[in-house]
Amino acid sequence: MHPPDQADSVSTNPQLAVWEFAGLLLTYWCNAKCTFCYVYSSPERGGWMNTTDAVTIWRSLDQLAAKHGKTMRIHLAGGEPFGDWPRLLALVRAARDAGLTPLEKIETNAFWATSDGLTRARLEQLDVLGMELLVVSTDVYHQEFIPFDRVRRCVEIARKVLGPPRVRVRWWDFYKRPLDTRRLDTNEKNRTFAQALDRHKDRLTGRAADRLADLLPPHPAEEFRDLNCVKEVLQSRHVHIDPYGNVFPGVCNGIILGNALKQPPEQLWKHVSTNWHEHPVVSAVVAGGSHELMQRAKPFGYRQLEAGYANKCHLCHHVRQFLQHSGIWPDALGPAECYANERAPRR
Ligand code: SF4
């Protein structure tokens, strides 16, 4: 449970790596409401990043990477970025017209691929505008909501328009042997999800933590002691930025490093790099992972689950959800879309 290189990283005062990969989470809206979602996207959610803000943030990210001799890689995700096609198209065009680094990829669940003509037309436009890669999500969770024939149509047409190397399918094994999970009863679904979790070691934050953690064997929180998050939070070189400008480290959505609408990412990176020791959540998870975060949350009233936790990220999410719902460290934890437990919805 305690790889030696983690202890070494902590003892040598880890540094914040330069951000080289950034995902713009254009919206929390999604046509689906996947059990596996690492936030709480759904048709009831919203928030859309406007084009001007996106271009401003993108440019600043480009400048940050260039200053350090690197090239920024930008991808667009959500929620579901195709939920507002005119807006998505306008954003990609504006970035291209502004001479920003080429768009690395867009991630989609293909819900919009309802006819051959429409699918081809959209992909051709994105191709002309320089999108390098299309990533299509298909798995036991998405197919509770999206007819598989749309996924197949999107992938097949994308392979013709963009060429096979520029189309990635997440998960390819599922694509080859799809399963319509809409038809399964609750027990069958749970069995299917448990097998999927075993095969694909996905993170458990957001709705996934609430709904899937029970399908994995529990462990006492003490097992996660000193399992620090230096690599994930400081050294991943990756950030996500949501429609409200919140900047999250790596895939740890809901831990706010700062706001890109208030402070350009170039300046924000410098600020975080100098001051992360003062960030209540980052300093805790860097020092001792989610176990340390739990210890720091106890004085605010957090009560450890006696039944245990599926893994360190499940523990982290559970503690952060308590803190966010209690209004503790509001500048460091949010927005509600990352923590809104549907059993006690909060927006
Ligand atoms: S424990 Fe928390 S901070 Fe660490 S990797 Fe998981 S979600 Fe991120």
Side-chain angles (χ1 to χ4, degrees):
M1 301 299 288
H2 189 156
D5 63 327
Q6 293 206 337
D8 294 347
S9 309
V10 170
S11 63
T12 54
N13 189 23
Q15 305 292 312
L16 179 68
V18 175
W19 300 331
E20 293 176 59
F21 305 89
L24 304 185
L25 307 177
L26 299 185
T27 178
Y28 285 105
W29 180 91
C30 188
N31 63 298
K33 202 172 183 174
C34 294
T35 305
F36 151 82
C37 191
Y38 53 78
V39 294
Y40 287 85
S41 284
S42 78
E44 294 84 43
R45 301 271 174 225
W48 282 93
M49 187 176 286
N50 79 47
T51 298
T52 309
D53 289 342
V55 168
T56 305
I57 291 170
W58 193 322
R59 183 178 289 114
S60 179
L61 287 164
D62 277 357
Q63 287 163 350
L64 167 66
K67 195 172 271 182
H68 293 269
K70 320 249 182 212
T71 302
M72 182 57 65
R73 307 292 286 151
I74 299 279
H75 68 275
L76 304 180
E80 173 49 55
F82 281 78
D84 186 338
W85 168 248
R87 191 189 287 253
L88 174 62
L89 186 64
L91 194 160
V92 176
R93 181 172 287 132
R96 198 274 316 259
D97 292 349
L100 304 179
T101 49
L103 171 62
E104 182 194 16
K105 60 184 176 183
I106 303 181
E107 299 172 355
T108 182
N109 63 30
F111 85 99
W112 50 274
T114 49
S115 76
D116 289 6
L118 177 140
T119 307
R120 175 174 284 278
R122 289 185 177 183
L123 293 174
E124 283 176 351
Q125 288 179 85
L126 292 171
D127 184 33
V128 167
L129 292 173
M131 177 191 69
E132 293 175 0
L133 190 70
L134 183 75
V135 180
V136 182
S137 302
T138 181
D139 52 44
V140 291
Y141 313 109
H142 285 89
Q143 263 50 78
E144 268 199 277
F145 298 91
I146 297 137
F148 185 74
D149 62 310
R150 298 189 191 181
V151 175
R152 182 178 289 122
R153 176 182 291 118
C154 186
V155 171
E156 284 178 359
I157 294 177
R159 284 165 69 90
K160 284 182 194 144
V161 172
L162 307 171
R166 290 170 58 203
V167 184
R168 192 177 296 159
V169 175
R170 180 202 158 278
W171 307 327
W172 190 243
D173 58 346
F174 181 87
Y175 182 80
K176 285 196 277 189
R177 295 178 58 194
L179 175 69
D180 188 347
T181 38
R182 289 175 301 178
R183 298 180 195 282
L184 304 181
D185 65 28
T186 306
N187 286 338
E188 290 170 327
K189 237 178 237 178
N190 283 346
R191 240 191 338 269
T192 304
F193 289 172
Q195 286 164 356
L197 279 174
D198 199 44
R199 222 173 39 250
H200 299 271
K201 307 287 180 209
D202 285 306
R203 80 200 86 148
L204 289 182
T205 62
R207 189 180 293 124
D210 277 342
R211 305 267 292 276
L212 292 174
D214 287 351
L215 302 179
L216 293 171
H219 302 267
E222 282 62 37
E223 279 193 26
F224 307 115
R225 186 190 292 274
D226 295 335
L227 209 57
N228 75 64
C229 304
V230 172
K231 282 187 185 157
E232 297 94 328
V233 173
L234 293 183
Q235 295 175 349
S236 78
R237 301 179 291 151
H238 200 132
V239 282
H240 283 97
I241 303 176
D242 81 357
Y244 313 123
N246 295 308
V247 180
F248 308 133
V251 293
C252 308
N253 292 334
I255 298 177
I256 301 172
L257 297 176
N259 192 299
L261 298 178
K262 296 182 185 152
Q263 194 174 23
E266 204 185 345
Q267 285 174 24
L268 181 59
W269 180 85
K270 209 177 289 170
H271 175 81
V272 176
S273 155
T274 314
N275 298 298
W276 65 261
H277 308 79
E278 290 160 25
H279 190 291
V281 179
V282 171
S283 62
V285 296
V286 165
S290 50
H291 184 274
E292 176 62 23
L293 182 65
M294 176 186 76
Q295 299 297 61
R296 297 190 192 182
K298 282 181 177 172
F300 296 109
Y302 179 74
R303 290 170 62 178
Q304 187 171 338
L305 290 180
E306 292 198 1
Y309 305 85
N311 57 31
K312 74 168 185 173
C313 297
H314 176 216
L315 169 60
C316 186
H317 177 77
H318 197 261
V319 173
R320 288 195 274 122
Q321 194 171 48
F322 162 80
L323 293 168
Q324 201 271 341
H325 286 189
S326 307
I328 314 287
W329 303 329
D331 293 339
L333 293 169
E337 286 88 337
C338 292
Y339 294 101
N341 186 329
E342 279 128 359
R343 282 166 287 188
R346 281 162 177 266
R347 285 188 63 93

